[in-house]
Amino acid sequence: MKKDSRLSSVLHALLHMAERDEPLTSDELALCMRTNPVVVRRTMGFLRDAGIVSSARGHAGGWAITADLKTVTLRQLHETLGEPAIFAIGNKQEMPECLVEQAVNAALDTAFAEAEALLLDRFAHVTLADLAEDFARRHRLRSQ
Amino acid sequence: MKKDSRLSSVLHALLHMAERDEPLTSDELALCMRTNPVVVRRTMGFLRDAGIVSSARGHAGGWAITADLKTVTLRQLHETLGEPAIFAIGNKQEMPECLVEQAVNAALDTAFAEAEALLLDRFAHVTLADLAEDFARRHRLRSQ
DNA sequence: TTTTCATGTAACTTCAATTATTACGAATCG
DNA sequence: CGATTCGTAATAATTGAAGTTACATGAAAA
């Protein structure tokens, strides 16, 4: 399976947008994210529908952040993107009649559920402001 | 991407094999696992190479468990299958020059690493014997 | 020894999901 | 008006697991 990198992509885009006050066009974002403008529009559209960013057409149009960086968490972004599947591993059948397979599913489901809960909890405690701060720190380090 | 269900499949196969002392053929396993005999051979081949099962050709041939159920953990099986990717979500670029993307990757990598460590730890504490016991319990419950 | 059964494997196709691309419509501003 | 930019439909490319076909290899039964 190809990995879903939309969360990574929108974070990258949002932080670049946070660095600039003017709107960034899909083409500009696509260039720095090494992807396609249409992919940018498609993905950022979810965030616009959730009120995290705004989009404007025409001259001087593009994408801008409307939400407060401190209030947007990775978990919220993950939900906004439609809560894509986290795991690349899963059960062969979800609702098997076979008791053996039920026992297997139960064991795997428990482990996956715990790992997912931990991941989402970590996501819930990281905001865009945290990432922006970490970027600023890296920037200072490199500028020395 | 299609989810990798090989761990689920081999667990199902192993528990069925544990229930019977005679070897099970690839065709028999494929039937109860709703898959293809060639897929069974391909996947079980990893376990044979790791000494967990044996395979025999010809009459009365097939697959049998050689390892002690108490010593085989889900983690070991996952490793035996080549440690397939656990997550369906990932970074857009693994080694970006862009400092923004480095900050994004660092945050995501930390969260994924913690979730993976938890999952593998859970896997390490579940043995085939545990699953067999859980199956027996389910069997007793349904027989009542 | 011949037949039958079963694994071992290569080669190819199918499948599922993201990502990429092309094309064009719609809105906005100079 | 006309250039710019988003909105979106339709389609292809990509990636890795899973499924399928075909045939060789080896072992036990007849």
Side-chain angles (χ1 to χ4, degrees):
Chain A
M1 151 203 349
K2 193 179 269 188
K3 279 195 175 182
D4 183 338
S5 61
R6 284 178 296 175
L7 180 57
S8 164
S9 292
V10 299
L11 288 171
H12 190 176
L14 288 167
L15 292 190
H16 274 295
M17 289 157 63
E19 295 295 307
R20 280 214 342 207
D21 272 352
E22 302 161 2
L24 280 154
T25 66
S26 302
D27 285 62
E28 288 171 323
L29 288 173
L31 206 63
C32 83
M33 292 161 68
R34 308 202 178 199
T35 180
N36 190 289
V38 178
V39 174
V40 173
R41 286 182 208 123
R42 194 188 293 152
T43 312
M44 296 297 287
F46 288 99
L47 308 198
R48 180 193 54 230
D49 296 346
I52 298 168
V53 301
S54 65
S55 62
R57 298 200 246 207
H59 284 271
W63 302 87
I65 301 187
T66 54
D68 180 352
L69 297 188
K70 293 194 199 70
T71 68
V72 180
T73 65
L74 302 198
R75 175 159 189 172
Q76 182 187 350
L77 291 171
H78 175 251
E79 285 167 4
T80 298
L81 292 173
E83 303 193 44
I86 289 174
F87 295 106
I89 301 180
N91 298 326
K92 173 78 178 169
Q93 278 187 83
E94 279 311 325
M95 297 295 291
E97 286 186 33
C98 173
L99 283 184
V100 167
E101 192 154 19
Q102 286 178 21
V104 171
N105 283 6
L108 291 179
D109 288 347
T110 300
F112 282 120
E114 289 185 44
E116 176 167 339
L118 177 65
L119 185 72
L120 292 180
D121 183 66
R122 291 292 180 272
F123 277 3
H125 288 89
V126 180
T127 67
L128 289 180
D130 295 329
L131 293 187
E133 189 181 338
D134 185 41
F135 161 68
R137 186 182 59 77
R138 289 169 189 268
H139 193 63
R140 283 195 305 274
L141 280 175
R142 193 168 69 170
S143 301
Q144 280 176 352
Chain B
M1 164 207 334
K2 194 179 271 187
K3 276 195 178 183
D4 183 338
S5 61
R6 284 177 296 175
L7 179 58
S8 165
S9 292
V10 298
L11 288 171
H12 190 177
L14 287 166
L15 292 190
H16 274 295
M17 288 157 64
E19 295 295 306
R20 280 214 342 210
D21 272 351
E22 302 163 1
L24 280 154
T25 67
S26 303
D27 284 61
E28 288 171 323
L29 288 173
L31 206 63
C32 82
M33 292 161 68
R34 306 200 179 198
T35 182
N36 189 288
V38 177
V39 174
V40 172
R41 285 181 209 126
R42 194 188 293 156
T43 311
M44 296 295 288
F46 288 98
L47 308 198
R48 179 195 55 230
D49 296 346
I52 297 168
V53 302
S54 64
S55 62
R57 299 201 248 207
H59 285 269
W63 301 86
I65 300 187
T66 54
D68 181 352
L69 296 188
K70 292 195 200 71
T71 69
V72 180
T73 65
L74 302 199
R75 175 159 190 172
Q76 182 186 351
L77 291 171
H78 175 251
E79 285 167 3
T80 299
L81 292 173
E83 305 194 44
I86 289 174
F87 296 106
I89 301 180
N91 299 326
K92 174 76 179 172
Q93 279 186 83
E94 279 312 325
M95 296 295 290
E97 284 186 33
C98 175
L99 282 183
V100 168
E101 192 154 19
Q102 286 179 21
V104 170
N105 283 7
L108 292 178
D109 288 347
T110 300
F112 282 121
E114 289 184 43
E116 175 168 339
L118 177 65
L119 185 73
L120 292 181
D121 183 66
R122 292 291 178 275
F123 278 3
H125 289 89
V126 180
T127 66
L128 289 180
D130 296 329
L131 293 186
E133 189 181 339
D134 185 42
F135 160 69
R137 187 182 58 77
R138 289 167 189 268
H139 193 62
R140 284 195 305 274
L141 281 174
R142 193 168 69 172
S143 302
Q144 279 176 354

